[in-house]
Amino acid sequence: MAHEGPRLPAARGPLSASVREYLLGTGPLPPAEAVARASVYGDDLQLALYLCYELHYRGFAGVAPDHEWDPELLRVRAALEHRFLTALRADTPVHDTVDDALSELLVEPVEGTGVSHFLCDEGELWQLREYAAQRSLYHLKEADPHAWVLPRLWGRAKAAMAAVEFDEYGGGRPDRVHARLFADLMTDLGLDTAYGRYLDAACAETLATVNLMSLLGLHRSLRGALVGHFATVEITSSPGSRRLAEAMRRTGAGPAAAYFYDEHVEADAVHEQVVRHDVIGGLLEEEPHLAPDVAFGIGVTGLLEDRLADRLLTAWRAGRSSLHTPLNAEMAHIS
């Protein structure tokens, strides 16, 4: 029996409502003026774009697979992408060189203030559950958006990227696939492991971080930026994962919850070296003109992660949920 994708989420405004209705065959796509009016980082535009991108992954229940290459839907997606990418280019700090962009990632601040620091030092179990629900939009398809870049690389960069991706996919062992390990983490936290289950709950800032990966991955012209994004993820993952593993242990989240991050501490410390020296190095050896794109990919990843961190920490410090729709009370039991 063929796998059926997740159900379509509820709309968050006229754009996402129109895209949703079109996918179901019950209404037209949004007009160009609606795309132009929408807040670029807001729930409505980000969800509409997410719906378009998800057709290239697992799709949605009740949505025809042919919609993946629907010309009219692709036209709307292009308009949404243009709004998003234009804003990202305007808002991302410009680095003179790739080395300058990387140098900011390689030094851990003495007094960190990010999400992993908060969760490690004072996070409560309900906040860890919210964090896992938010991140599930990516981690249940971990490495998939980055895999789009493989056909666009060659030589040393392709070989190194494939080696890192092989690790992300469990080195050939299905029980070690990182998406599987994250599902085990979710089980420890009493969360539903179904793919796409928390799309309705995730905030716009989370949608934007996942949309960025799809945007960069699905466009060959943005291959340099995707490599920069991937490098940022790998370089920052190890220290952040160490703190998150400690948070899981401190709150009694469960062994699988801690193990997911323990695995990333070791694996991503190795990946960092491979990505910096062989993926980025190999790419720029072959295509030195892509250096500004790689730097952009590094900077824009930080931009959207900072926006997400602000959303999470502002809500949590006020004792509020960070989610668009809070987790159901009946799922709060941790077995």
Side-chain angles (χ1 to χ4, degrees):
M1 186 177 190
H3 172 81
E4 186 175 55
R7 65 176 180 82
L8 279 165
R12 301 190 190 179
L15 277 183
S16 53
S18 293
V19 171
R20 188 181 190 280
E21 289 165 8
Y22 186 80
L23 292 176
L24 293 172
T26 59
L29 285 165
E33 54 269 25
V35 176
R37 286 195 305 265
S39 171
V40 70
Y41 297 119
D43 282 292
D44 193 25
L45 187 145
Q46 290 299 323
L47 181 58
L49 188 53
Y50 193 99
L51 295 179
C52 294
Y53 285 147
E54 193 58 35
L55 300 174
H56 297 289
Y57 296 101
R58 298 198 196 179
F60 294 100
V63 174
D66 288 349
H67 275 308
E68 180 180 5
W69 299 111
D70 182 305
E72 292 305 306
L73 188 61
L74 290 176
R75 177 184 57 78
V76 169
R77 193 191 93 185
L80 296 168
E81 287 179 324
H82 178 73
R83 290 281 326 276
F84 189 34
L85 185 58
T86 298
L88 293 174
R89 291 199 182 280
D91 295 339
T92 299
V94 176
H95 294 92
D96 291 334
T97 68
V98 171
D99 285 342
D100 286 343
L102 287 172
S103 65
E104 295 182 7
L105 305 178
L106 295 171
V107 179
E108 277 270 289
V110 176
E111 295 186 7
T113 58
V115 171
S116 65
H117 290 89
F118 174 88
L119 291 174
C120 181
D121 295 339
E122 57 186 293
E124 299 178 21
L125 196 55
W126 69 270
Q127 293 161 335
L128 289 170
R129 296 182 71 246
E130 286 202 353
Y131 185 71
Q134 299 266 22
R135 290 299 196 184
S136 69
L137 268 63
Y138 167 62
H139 281 306
L140 290 180
K141 59 169 171 264
E142 185 168 340
D144 291 351
H146 298 122
W148 295 113
V149 82
L150 282 168
R152 287 115 187 224
L153 303 175
W154 60 91
R156 183 157 61 104
K158 181 191 282 284
M161 187 74 187
V164 175
E165 289 283 271
F166 184 62
D167 283 350
E168 303 285 351
Y169 291 127
R173 294 175 52 188
D175 60 313
R176 300 279 295 176
V177 172
H178 285 188
R180 174 68 261 170
L181 297 181
F182 193 79
D184 294 340
L185 171 151
M186 295 178 74
T187 298
D188 265 5
L189 290 172
L191 297 170
D192 190 336
T193 63
Y195 181 90
R197 167 64 178 80
Y198 295 104
L199 179 52
D200 268 321
C203 63
E205 290 81 2
T206 292
L207 298 180
T209 65
V210 184
N211 282 339
L212 174 67
M213 299 183 218
S214 299
L215 169 67
L216 301 181
L218 288 167
H219 291 270
R220 188 175 67 85
S221 62
L222 296 172
R223 62 194 179 281
L226 185 66
V227 166
H229 180 283
F230 189 63
T232 307
V233 170
E234 296 300 320
I235 290 170
T236 58
S237 174
S238 187
S241 292
R242 184 177 293 107
R243 289 186 287 271
L244 290 168
E246 177 56 31
M248 294 296 177
R249 278 188 281 269
R250 181 178 58 77
T251 58
Y259 181 77
F260 175 81
Y261 290 111
D262 284 334
E263 170 72 10
H264 282 70
V265 171
E266 181 176 348
D268 291 344
V270 175
H271 293 169
E272 173 202 331
Q273 300 296 319
V274 175
V275 173
R276 282 201 294 133
H277 296 296
D278 294 318
V279 180
I280 291 180
L283 175 69
L284 296 184
E285 187 177 79
E286 297 282 355
E287 300 186 277
H289 64 282
L290 292 181
D293 289 345
V294 175
F296 169 69
I298 295 168
V300 74
T301 306
L303 172 77
L304 292 186
E305 287 295 329
D306 286 347
R307 288 179 59 86
L308 175 58
D310 287 344
R311 165 71 179 240
L312 299 179
L313 294 176
T314 298
W316 290 342
R317 285 173 176 149
R320 294 184 285 102
S321 173
S322 67
L323 296 166
H324 186 261
T325 55
L327 298 175
N328 293 334
E330 64 268 21
M331 295 181 63
H333 175 66
I334 308 297
S335 56

PDB file of all heavy atoms in Angstrom, residues 48-75:
ATOM      1  N   ALA A  48       1.754  29.054   3.031  1.00  0.00           N
ATOM      2  CA  ALA A  48       1.467  28.842   1.612  1.00  0.00           C
ATOM      3  C   ALA A  48       2.694  28.288   0.890  1.00  0.00           C
ATOM      4  O   ALA A  48       2.595  27.357   0.077  1.00  0.00           O
ATOM      5  CB  ALA A  48       1.008  30.155   0.971  1.00  0.00           C
ATOM      6  N   LEU A  49       3.857  28.854   1.194  1.00  0.00           N
ATOM      7  CA  LEU A  49       5.093  28.387   0.570  1.00  0.00           C
ATOM      8  C   LEU A  49       5.430  26.970   1.034  1.00  0.00           C
ATOM      9  O   LEU A  49       5.848  26.123   0.234  1.00  0.00           O
ATOM     10  CB  LEU A  49       6.230  29.351   0.901  1.00  0.00           C
ATOM     11  CG  LEU A  49       7.567  29.143   0.185  1.00  0.00           C
ATOM     12  CD1 LEU A  49       7.390  29.093  -1.326  1.00  0.00           C
ATOM     13  CD2 LEU A  49       8.549  30.257   0.574  1.00  0.00           C
ATOM     14  N   TYR A  50       5.216  26.699   2.313  1.00  0.00           N
ATOM     15  CA  TYR A  50       5.481  25.356   2.839  1.00  0.00           C
ATOM     16  C   TYR A  50       4.614  24.314   2.125  1.00  0.00           C
ATOM     17  O   TYR A  50       5.089  23.224   1.790  1.00  0.00           O
ATOM     18  CB  TYR A  50       5.213  25.325   4.346  1.00  0.00           C
ATOM     19  CG  TYR A  50       5.752  24.096   5.041  1.00  0.00           C
ATOM     20  CD1 TYR A  50       6.960  24.138   5.733  1.00  0.00           C
ATOM     21  CD2 TYR A  50       5.053  22.892   5.016  1.00  0.00           C
ATOM     22  CE1 TYR A  50       7.452  23.001   6.373  1.00  0.00           C
ATOM     23  CE2 TYR A  50       5.539  21.763   5.642  1.00  0.00           C
ATOM     24  CZ  TYR A  50       6.739  21.823   6.318  1.00  0.00           C
ATOM     25  OH  TYR A  50       7.235  20.698   6.944  1.00  0.00           O
ATOM     26  N   LEU A  51       3.346  24.656   1.898  1.00  0.00           N
ATOM     27  CA  LEU A  51       2.454  23.728   1.198  1.00  0.00           C
ATOM     28  C   LEU A  51       2.978  23.414  -0.202  1.00  0.00           C
ATOM     29  O   LEU A  51       2.943  22.261  -0.650  1.00  0.00           O
ATOM     30  CB  LEU A  51       1.051  24.316   1.105  1.00  0.00           C
ATOM     31  CG  LEU A  51       0.301  24.529   2.422  1.00  0.00           C
ATOM     32  CD1 LEU A  51      -1.068  25.158   2.148  1.00  0.00           C
ATOM     33  CD2 LEU A  51       0.147  23.234   3.189  1.00  0.00           C
ATOM     34  N   CYS A  52       3.474  24.433  -0.879  1.00  0.00           N
ATOM     35  CA  CYS A  52       4.037  24.217  -2.224  1.00  0.00           C
ATOM     36  C   CYS A  52       5.267  23.314  -2.168  1.00  0.00           C
ATOM     37  O   CYS A  52       5.414  22.392  -2.987  1.00  0.00           O
ATOM     38  CB  CYS A  52       4.400  25.554  -2.861  1.00  0.00           C
ATOM     39  SG  CYS A  52       3.005  26.636  -3.233  1.00  0.00           S
ATOM     40  N   TYR A  53       6.144  23.573  -1.235  1.00  0.00           N
ATOM     41  CA  TYR A  53       7.380  22.793  -1.138  1.00  0.00           C
ATOM     42  C   TYR A  53       7.137  21.353  -0.722  1.00  0.00           C
ATOM     43  O   TYR A  53       7.821  20.435  -1.173  1.00  0.00           O
ATOM     44  CB  TYR A  53       8.339  23.442  -0.133  1.00  0.00           C
ATOM     45  CG  TYR A  53       9.031  24.682  -0.629  1.00  0.00           C
ATOM     46  CD1 TYR A  53       9.337  25.721   0.251  1.00  0.00           C
ATOM     47  CD2 TYR A  53       9.418  24.821  -1.963  1.00  0.00           C
ATOM     48  CE1 TYR A  53       9.998  26.854  -0.180  1.00  0.00           C
ATOM     49  CE2 TYR A  53      10.072  25.950  -2.406  1.00  0.00           C
ATOM     50  CZ  TYR A  53      10.361  26.970  -1.511  1.00  0.00           C
ATOM     51  OH  TYR A  53      11.020  28.090  -1.946  1.00  0.00           O
ATOM     52  N   GLU A  54       6.188  21.143   0.173  1.00  0.00           N
ATOM     53  CA  GLU A  54       5.979  19.792   0.702  1.00  0.00           C
ATOM     54  C   GLU A  54       5.540  18.818  -0.383  1.00  0.00           C
ATOM     55  O   GLU A  54       5.701  17.600  -0.236  1.00  0.00           O
ATOM     56  CB  GLU A  54       4.960  19.828   1.848  1.00  0.00           C
ATOM     57  CG  GLU A  54       4.897  18.551   2.663  1.00  0.00           C
ATOM     58  CD  GLU A  54       6.236  18.153   3.285  1.00  0.00           C
ATOM     59  OE1 GLU A  54       7.024  19.042   3.674  1.00  0.00           O
ATOM     60  OE2 GLU A  54       6.496  16.930   3.374  1.00  0.00           O
ATOM     61  N   LEU A  55       5.024  19.324  -1.501  1.00  0.00           N
ATOM     62  CA  LEU A  55       4.655  18.462  -2.616  1.00  0.00           C
ATOM     63  C   LEU A  55       5.875  17.743  -3.190  1.00  0.00           C
ATOM     64  O   LEU A  55       5.742  16.709  -3.843  1.00  0.00           O
ATOM     65  CB  LEU A  55       3.969  19.281  -3.717  1.00  0.00           C
ATOM     66  CG  LEU A  55       2.680  19.990  -3.302  1.00  0.00           C
ATOM     67  CD1 LEU A  55       2.182  20.882  -4.430  1.00  0.00           C
ATOM     68  CD2 LEU A  55       1.609  19.002  -2.872  1.00  0.00           C
ATOM     69  N   HIS A  56       7.088  18.288  -2.953  1.00  0.00           N
ATOM     70  CA  HIS A  56       8.322  17.658  -3.436  1.00  0.00           C
ATOM     71  C   HIS A  56       8.879  16.650  -2.437  1.00  0.00           C
ATOM     72  O   HIS A  56       9.896  16.003  -2.717  1.00  0.00           O
ATOM     73  CB  HIS A  56       9.370  18.728  -3.721  1.00  0.00           C
ATOM     74  CG  HIS A  56       8.976  19.679  -4.809  1.00  0.00           C
ATOM     75  ND1 HIS A  56       8.917  19.314  -6.144  1.00  0.00           N
ATOM     76  CD2 HIS A  56       8.606  20.986  -4.768  1.00  0.00           C
ATOM     77  CE1 HIS A  56       8.533  20.354  -6.862  1.00  0.00           C
ATOM     78  NE2 HIS A  56       8.335  21.380  -6.058  1.00  0.00           N
ATOM     79  N   TYR A  57       8.273  16.531  -1.287  1.00  0.00           N
ATOM     80  CA  TYR A  57       8.694  15.554  -0.279  1.00  0.00           C
ATOM     81  C   TYR A  57       7.651  14.428  -0.228  1.00  0.00           C
ATOM     82  O   TYR A  57       7.635  13.563  -1.077  1.00  0.00           O
ATOM     83  CB  TYR A  57       8.885  16.234   1.079  1.00  0.00           C
ATOM     84  CG  TYR A  57       9.995  17.264   1.075  1.00  0.00           C
ATOM     85  CD1 TYR A  57       9.728  18.628   0.997  1.00  0.00           C
ATOM     86  CD2 TYR A  57      11.333  16.870   1.143  1.00  0.00           C
ATOM     87  CE1 TYR A  57      10.740  19.571   0.992  1.00  0.00           C
ATOM     88  CE2 TYR A  57      12.363  17.806   1.141  1.00  0.00           C
ATOM     89  CZ  TYR A  57      12.069  19.157   1.062  1.00  0.00           C
ATOM     90  OH  TYR A  57      13.083  20.087   1.056  1.00  0.00           O
ATOM     91  N   ARG A  58       6.755  14.452   0.730  1.00  0.00           N
ATOM     92  CA  ARG A  58       5.777  13.365   0.866  1.00  0.00           C
ATOM     93  C   ARG A  58       4.371  13.756   0.423  1.00  0.00           C
ATOM     94  O   ARG A  58       3.472  12.921   0.392  1.00  0.00           O
ATOM     95  CB  ARG A  58       5.725  12.877   2.311  1.00  0.00           C
ATOM     96  CG  ARG A  58       7.047  12.297   2.793  1.00  0.00           C
ATOM     97  CD  ARG A  58       6.851  11.447   4.015  1.00  0.00           C
ATOM     98  NE  ARG A  58       8.101  11.187   4.693  1.00  0.00           N
ATOM     99  CZ  ARG A  58       8.218  10.477   5.802  1.00  0.00           C
ATOM    100  NH1 ARG A  58       7.131   9.959   6.362  1.00  0.00           N
ATOM    101  NH2 ARG A  58       9.389  10.288   6.370  1.00  0.00           N
ATOM    102  N   GLY A  59       4.153  15.020   0.091  1.00  0.00           N
ATOM    103  CA  GLY A  59       2.834  15.439  -0.327  1.00  0.00           C
ATOM    104  C   GLY A  59       1.847  15.442   0.826  1.00  0.00           C
ATOM    105  O   GLY A  59       2.230  15.413   2.001  1.00  0.00           O
ATOM    106  N   PHE A  60       0.576  15.457   0.483  1.00  0.00           N
ATOM    107  CA  PHE A  60      -0.489  15.500   1.485  1.00  0.00           C
ATOM    108  C   PHE A  60      -1.580  14.492   1.137  1.00  0.00           C
ATOM    109  O   PHE A  60      -1.835  14.208  -0.036  1.00  0.00           O
ATOM    110  CB  PHE A  60      -1.108  16.899   1.556  1.00  0.00           C
ATOM    111  CG  PHE A  60      -0.173  17.958   2.065  1.00  0.00           C
ATOM    112  CD1 PHE A  60       0.480  18.810   1.182  1.00  0.00           C
ATOM    113  CD2 PHE A  60       0.068  18.100   3.427  1.00  0.00           C
ATOM    114  CE1 PHE A  60       1.351  19.784   1.645  1.00  0.00           C
ATOM    115  CE2 PHE A  60       0.929  19.063   3.901  1.00  0.00           C
ATOM    116  CZ  PHE A  60       1.575  19.913   3.015  1.00  0.00           C
ATOM    117  N   ALA A  61      -2.219  13.990   2.168  1.00  0.00           N
ATOM    118  CA  ALA A  61      -3.340  13.075   1.967  1.00  0.00           C
ATOM    119  C   ALA A  61      -4.445  13.781   1.184  1.00  0.00           C
ATOM    120  O   ALA A  61      -4.800  14.923   1.478  1.00  0.00           O
ATOM    121  CB  ALA A  61      -3.885  12.603   3.317  1.00  0.00           C
ATOM    122  N   GLY A  62      -4.968  13.126   0.175  1.00  0.00           N
ATOM    123  CA  GLY A  62      -6.053  13.683  -0.614  1.00  0.00           C
ATOM    124  C   GLY A  62      -5.624  14.662  -1.683  1.00  0.00           C
ATOM    125  O   GLY A  62      -6.470  15.250  -2.369  1.00  0.00           O
ATOM    126  N   VAL A  63      -4.308  14.856  -1.858  1.00  0.00           N
ATOM    127  CA  VAL A  63      -3.788  15.776  -2.876  1.00  0.00           C
ATOM    128  C   VAL A  63      -3.110  14.962  -3.974  1.00  0.00           C
ATOM    129  O   VAL A  63      -2.223  14.139  -3.698  1.00  0.00           O
ATOM    130  CB  VAL A  63      -2.796  16.777  -2.255  1.00  0.00           C
ATOM    131  CG1 VAL A  63      -2.150  17.641  -3.344  1.00  0.00           C
ATOM    132  CG2 VAL A  63      -3.506  17.649  -1.232  1.00  0.00           C
ATOM    133  N   ALA A  64      -3.510  15.198  -5.215  1.00  0.00           N
ATOM    134  CA  ALA A  64      -2.974  14.429  -6.340  1.00  0.00           C
ATOM    135  C   ALA A  64      -1.475  14.663  -6.492  1.00  0.00           C
ATOM    136  O   ALA A  64      -1.016  15.813  -6.446  1.00  0.00           O
ATOM    137  CB  ALA A  64      -3.694  14.829  -7.624  1.00  0.00           C
ATOM    138  N   PRO A  65      -0.686  13.616  -6.699  1.00  0.00           N
ATOM    139  CA  PRO A  65       0.755  13.777  -6.886  1.00  0.00           C
ATOM    140  C   PRO A  65       1.125  14.691  -8.047  1.00  0.00           C
ATOM    141  O   PRO A  65       2.186  15.328  -8.032  1.00  0.00           O
ATOM    142  CB  PRO A  65       1.244  12.337  -7.134  1.00  0.00           C
ATOM    143  CG  PRO A  65       0.210  11.460  -6.507  1.00  0.00           C
ATOM    144  CD  PRO A  65      -1.083  12.191  -6.687  1.00  0.00           C
ATOM    145  N   ASP A  66       0.263  14.769  -9.060  1.00  0.00           N
ATOM    146  CA  ASP A  66       0.557  15.600 -10.221  1.00  0.00           C
ATOM    147  C   ASP A  66       0.683  17.081  -9.875  1.00  0.00           C
ATOM    148  O   ASP A  66       1.254  17.856 -10.643  1.00  0.00           O
ATOM    149  CB  ASP A  66      -0.526  15.429 -11.284  1.00  0.00           C
ATOM    150  CG  ASP A  66      -0.458  14.077 -11.974  1.00  0.00           C
ATOM    151  OD1 ASP A  66       0.554  13.363 -11.772  1.00  0.00           O
ATOM    152  OD2 ASP A  66      -1.404  13.725 -12.702  1.00  0.00           O
ATOM    153  N   HIS A  67       0.154  17.476  -8.724  1.00  0.00           N
ATOM    154  CA  HIS A  67       0.272  18.881  -8.334  1.00  0.00           C
ATOM    155  C   HIS A  67       1.727  19.314  -8.128  1.00  0.00           C
ATOM    156  O   HIS A  67       2.011  20.515  -8.137  1.00  0.00           O
ATOM    157  CB  HIS A  67      -0.520  19.144  -7.055  1.00  0.00           C
ATOM    158  CG  HIS A  67      -1.974  19.425  -7.286  1.00  0.00           C
ATOM    159  ND1 HIS A  67      -2.422  20.381  -8.168  1.00  0.00           N
ATOM    160  CD2 HIS A  67      -3.091  18.864  -6.743  1.00  0.00           C
ATOM    161  CE1 HIS A  67      -3.740  20.411  -8.161  1.00  0.00           C
ATOM    162  NE2 HIS A  67      -4.175  19.501  -7.317  1.00  0.00           N
ATOM    163  N   GLU A  68       2.625  18.339  -7.949  1.00  0.00           N
ATOM    164  CA  GLU A  68       4.030  18.691  -7.736  1.00  0.00           C
ATOM    165  C   GLU A  68       4.564  19.552  -8.886  1.00  0.00           C
ATOM    166  O   GLU A  68       5.365  20.466  -8.663  1.00  0.00           O
ATOM    167  CB  GLU A  68       4.878  17.425  -7.604  1.00  0.00           C
ATOM    168  CG  GLU A  68       6.359  17.712  -7.369  1.00  0.00           C
ATOM    169  CD  GLU A  68       7.206  16.452  -7.242  1.00  0.00           C
ATOM    170  OE1 GLU A  68       6.660  15.334  -7.436  1.00  0.00           O
ATOM    171  OE2 GLU A  68       8.403  16.588  -6.953  1.00  0.00           O
ATOM    172  N   TRP A  69       4.134  19.276 -10.105  1.00  0.00           N
ATOM    173  CA  TRP A  69       4.635  20.017 -11.265  1.00  0.00           C
ATOM    174  C   TRP A  69       3.517  20.775 -11.983  1.00  0.00           C
ATOM    175  O   TRP A  69       3.595  21.040 -13.170  1.00  0.00           O
ATOM    176  CB  TRP A  69       5.344  19.050 -12.233  1.00  0.00           C
ATOM    177  CG  TRP A  69       6.517  18.383 -11.568  1.00  0.00           C
ATOM    178  CD1 TRP A  69       6.630  17.071 -11.224  1.00  0.00           C
ATOM    179  CD2 TRP A  69       7.720  19.013 -11.129  1.00  0.00           C
ATOM    180  NE1 TRP A  69       7.833  16.848 -10.607  1.00  0.00           N
ATOM    181  CE2 TRP A  69       8.532  18.009 -10.536  1.00  0.00           C
ATOM    182  CE3 TRP A  69       8.210  20.330 -11.179  1.00  0.00           C
ATOM    183  CZ2 TRP A  69       9.788  18.278  -9.994  1.00  0.00           C
ATOM    184  CZ3 TRP A  69       9.459  20.599 -10.643  1.00  0.00           C
ATOM    185  CH2 TRP A  69      10.234  19.582 -10.064  1.00  0.00           C
ATOM    186  N   ASP A  70       2.484  21.137 -11.257  1.00  0.00           N
ATOM    187  CA  ASP A  70       1.390  21.932 -11.812  1.00  0.00           C
ATOM    188  C   ASP A  70       1.926  23.308 -12.226  1.00  0.00           C
ATOM    189  O   ASP A  70       2.429  24.056 -11.383  1.00  0.00           O
ATOM    190  CB  ASP A  70       0.302  22.073 -10.740  1.00  0.00           C
ATOM    191  CG  ASP A  70      -0.913  22.838 -11.224  1.00  0.00           C
ATOM    192  OD1 ASP A  70      -0.748  23.983 -11.698  1.00  0.00           O
ATOM    193  OD2 ASP A  70      -2.026  22.308 -11.105  1.00  0.00           O
ATOM    194  N   PRO A  71       1.840  23.682 -13.495  1.00  0.00           N
ATOM    195  CA  PRO A  71       2.432  24.948 -13.950  1.00  0.00           C
ATOM    196  C   PRO A  71       1.876  26.184 -13.232  1.00  0.00           C
ATOM    197  O   PRO A  71       2.629  27.111 -12.905  1.00  0.00           O
ATOM    198  CB  PRO A  71       2.105  24.986 -15.449  1.00  0.00           C
ATOM    199  CG  PRO A  71       1.890  23.558 -15.819  1.00  0.00           C
ATOM    200  CD  PRO A  71       1.276  22.914 -14.615  1.00  0.00           C
ATOM    201  N   GLU A  72       0.575  26.210 -12.992  1.00  0.00           N
ATOM    202  CA  GLU A  72      -0.011  27.374 -12.332  1.00  0.00           C
ATOM    203  C   GLU A  72       0.421  27.458 -10.870  1.00  0.00           C
ATOM    204  O   GLU A  72       0.679  28.543 -10.340  1.00  0.00           O
ATOM    205  CB  GLU A  72      -1.540  27.325 -12.438  1.00  0.00           C
ATOM    206  CG  GLU A  72      -2.053  27.519 -13.850  1.00  0.00           C
ATOM    207  CD  GLU A  72      -1.531  28.810 -14.463  1.00  0.00           C
ATOM    208  OE1 GLU A  72      -1.711  29.880 -13.841  1.00  0.00           O
ATOM    209  OE2 GLU A  72      -0.927  28.753 -15.540  1.00  0.00           O
ATOM    210  N   LEU A  73       0.521  26.316 -10.218  1.00  0.00           N
ATOM    211  CA  LEU A  73       0.983  26.307  -8.829  1.00  0.00           C
ATOM    212  C   LEU A  73       2.453  26.716  -8.753  1.00  0.00           C
ATOM    213  O   LEU A  73       2.858  27.454  -7.844  1.00  0.00           O
ATOM    214  CB  LEU A  73       0.785  24.924  -8.214  1.00  0.00           C
ATOM    215  CG  LEU A  73       1.043  24.813  -6.711  1.00  0.00           C
ATOM    216  CD1 LEU A  73       0.109  25.721  -5.916  1.00  0.00           C
ATOM    217  CD2 LEU A  73       0.887  23.361  -6.255  1.00  0.00           C
ATOM    218  N   LEU A  74       3.241  26.280  -9.712  1.00  0.00           N
ATOM    219  CA  LEU A  74       4.653  26.675  -9.748  1.00  0.00           C
ATOM    220  C   LEU A  74       4.798  28.181  -9.976  1.00  0.00           C
ATOM    221  O   LEU A  74       5.727  28.810  -9.457  1.00  0.00           O
ATOM    222  CB  LEU A  74       5.390  25.894 -10.834  1.00  0.00           C
ATOM    223  CG  LEU A  74       5.604  24.403 -10.573  1.00  0.00           C
ATOM    224  CD1 LEU A  74       6.249  23.734 -11.779  1.00  0.00           C
ATOM    225  CD2 LEU A  74       6.456  24.172  -9.324  1.00  0.00           C
ATOM    226  N   ARG A  75       3.884  28.746 -10.740  1.00  0.00           N
ATOM    227  CA  ARG A  75       3.916  30.200 -10.956  1.00  0.00           C
ATOM    228  C   ARG A  75       3.673  30.940  -9.640  1.00  0.00           C
ATOM    229  O   ARG A  75       4.380  31.911  -9.326  1.00  0.00           O
ATOM    230  CB  ARG A  75       2.853  30.590 -11.987  1.00  0.00           C
ATOM    231  CG  ARG A  75       2.751  32.094 -12.228  1.00  0.00           C
ATOM    232  CD  ARG A  75       1.609  32.411 -13.177  1.00  0.00           C
ATOM    233  NE  ARG A  75       0.327  31.901 -12.693  1.00  0.00           N
ATOM    234  CZ  ARG A  75      -0.387  32.499 -11.733  1.00  0.00           C
ATOM    235  NH1 ARG A  75       0.045  33.604 -11.152  1.00  0.00           N
ATOM    236  NH2 ARG A  75      -1.550  31.989 -11.358  1.00  0.00           N
TER     237      ARG A  75
END
